[in-house]
Amino acid sequence: MAHTVTLIPGDGIGPELAEATRRVLDASGVAFEWEVVEAGEASIAEHGTPLPEHVLASIRRNRIALKGPITTPVGGGFRSVNVTLRQALGLYANLRPARSIKGLDTRYEDVDLVIVRENTEDLYAGIEHMVGPDAAESIKIITRYASERIARYAFEYAVANHRRKVTAVHKANIMKLSDGLFLESCRRVSVDYEGQVEFEDRIVDNMCMQLVQKPDLYDVLVLPNLYGDIVSDLCAGLVGGLGVAPGANIGEDGAVFEPVHGSAPKYAGQNRANPTAMILSGVLMLRHLGYPDVADRVELAVRDVIAEGAVVTHDLGGTAGTSEFADAIVARLGSASDAPAATR
Ligand code: NAD
């Protein structure tokens, strides 16, 4: 039976990456039916809104979506579609693995980190207003409910994926109430996993320095929304950049898989951007759907093509276009499934 998946191509480089990803996933052997819906700039002209109700309805119905990046205007303009979507669908956990890929020119060779970012509250919710003409106020809300929920997700992820440690990241020395509550919630949840998963905490500024100097000391990181957003780009930088950083937004009633990066408007329509991050988001989707072996096979095909280095995109030092890179992965998947199992 085919899995019906909502596919949101998105803005900027999104449509090219979505097409490349769709081709790779279709070659994986799992049957997909893609329900393509537009959100973002493409949808404003037609529907007058960047996030029409039928897009949310499609994801609610299918409970699963693959999404390209969506442009968010700086300053004025519409509210972030990404934030609205995560809140509307209760996608409370943002999972962003950062794992080294052989063949890429990076400072470290064995980075293997998993960011678990709270996805619904904190300053990132964008609750703000002007206080008179010359001052603006942003409201940071942290709740015990959301903090314990994300901490539990991080620990459950660690147990299910044989991870040794969870590190809570915060600024509770300064924001004693809000980040203090986040930290207290993580500590409280950690007690249920004593003996199974180690727990520690770090102040966010120190965490950034430590990640740059000694990423091997860390494993699963759990963070409030805004720090999670920032630290996950830092971790992407450790493993080859935004072009290779996948992500998943997970909730009780559905999941949306999307790369960490944005719409990179300067590369839009040039067949130049790297589809790896979106393809690896598709790999996370395959795992979520219960196909770990297929997910491993697709991930290996991506890693093999990058390690060989003959067909890689510009951001990775190559000259291949988005579609040529996808072709190479599809060819790799084809040759792997033709080969006898013993040689795979
Ligand atoms: P960006 O991620 O689009 O680009 C940052 C840098 O990384 C640029 O140099 C870009 O060219 C490069 N880059 C990103 N993805 C790449 C890829 N796949 N291949 C090669 N190079 C890649 O970040 P930005 O410029 O800050 O944001 C652009 C727009 O995207 C903004 O409107 C922002 O709000 C939006 N955005 C959306 C999402 C999302 O939809 N989830 C996430 C982040 C940013």
Side-chain angles (χ1 to χ4, degrees):
M1 200 192 72
H3 293 277
T4 306
V5 174
T6 301
L7 178 63
I8 305 173
D11 294 322
I13 56 176
E16 302 155 62
L17 305 186
E19 183 51 29
T21 304
R22 168 154 61 167
R23 285 204 294 123
V24 169
L25 292 179
D26 281 341
S28 73
V30 173
F32 289 107
E33 240 174 60
W34 302 101
E35 200 167 286
V36 181
V37 290
E38 298 290 351
E41 287 173 329
S43 149
I44 294 178
E46 198 180 335
H47 301 287
T49 162
L51 186 58
E53 191 47 46
H54 72 264
V55 173
L56 288 170
S58 169
I59 305 175
R60 285 197 179 103
R61 190 168 55 246
N62 299 326
R63 299 169 65 92
I64 197 134
L66 183 64
K67 174 186 161 298
I70 290 179
T71 298
T72 306
V74 174
F78 58 83
R79 181 170 188 243
S80 164
V81 169
N82 304 309
V83 173
T84 311
L85 205 130
R86 291 165 193 165
Q87 286 177 347
L89 299 172
L91 304 170
Y92 69 89
N94 188 193
L95 185 68
R96 295 180 157 184
R99 199 173 146 216
S100 296
I101 299 179
K102 201 166 159 242
L104 295 187
D105 184 16
T106 53
R107 200 169 285 265
Y108 302 100
E109 284 177 2
D110 295 314
V111 174
D112 187 3
L113 296 160
V114 177
I115 301 277
V116 175
R117 163 188 174 192
E118 203 291 321
N119 221 11
T120 63
E121 54 182 33
D122 190 8
L123 281 172
Y124 210 89
I127 306 167
E128 51 180 17
H129 52 259
M130 295 303 294
V131 185
D134 301 318
E137 182 174 49
S138 281
I139 299 175
K140 169 164 170 147
I141 294 173
I142 299 279
T143 65
R144 189 183 306 281
Y145 171 73
S147 302
E148 287 193 359
R149 181 173 62 169
I150 198 66
R152 195 160 297 283
Y153 182 92
F155 278 97
E156 286 296 319
Y157 179 92
V159 171
N161 292 278
H162 313 291
R163 295 278 177 162
R164 69 192 152 87
K165 182 167 76 172
V166 170
T167 305
V169 184
H170 60 87
K171 189 82 182 172
N173 52 331
I174 302 298
M175 278 162 278
K176 294 178 193 295
L177 297 183
S178 53
D179 281 19
L181 180 57
F182 180 81
L183 176 57
E184 182 196 319
S185 303
C186 292
R187 279 195 181 129
R188 183 189 292 231
V189 170
S190 76
V191 173
D192 294 344
Y193 298 86
E194 253 169 25
Q196 260 185 304
V197 182
E198 269 178 63
F199 174 71
E200 63 179 11
D201 71 276
R202 292 283 180 275
I203 293 173
V204 63
D205 38 354
N206 176 31
M207 184 79 240
C208 290
M209 184 201 67
Q210 300 236 3
L211 283 171
V212 170
Q213 288 197 314
K214 308 175 224 168
D216 52 308
L217 293 186
Y218 298 95
D219 191 352
V220 176
L221 310 180
V222 61
L223 311 91
N225 206 341
L226 183 62
Y227 308 146
D229 180 51
I230 298 166
V231 173
S232 53
D233 272 34
L234 186 159
C235 291
L238 292 173
V239 297
L242 285 171
V244 299
N249 302 286
I250 314 267
E252 300 292 344
D253 302 318
V256 175
F257 297 83
E258 63 175 341
V260 170
H261 64 71
S263 55
K266 70 179 173 200
Y267 294 139
Q270 295 177 29
N271 190 36
R272 191 183 164 99
N274 186 352
T276 300
M278 191 153 175
I279 294 170
L280 293 181
S281 303
V283 166
L284 294 176
M285 184 174 87
L286 285 168
R287 291 193 200 289
H288 181 84
L289 287 170
Y291 298 102
D293 296 344
V294 182
D296 285 348
R297 209 158 56 78
V298 176
E299 186 166 356
L300 191 64
V302 173
R303 288 176 167 271
D304 282 350
V305 169
I306 294 176
E308 276 168 13
V311 187
V312 291
T313 47
H314 295 259
D315 59 317
L316 305 184
T319 55
T322 310
S323 54
E324 287 75 33
F325 180 73
D327 289 343
I329 295 164
V330 169
R332 189 95 200 175
L333 279 170
S335 58
S337 56
D338 291 343
T343 64
R344 273 180 221 162

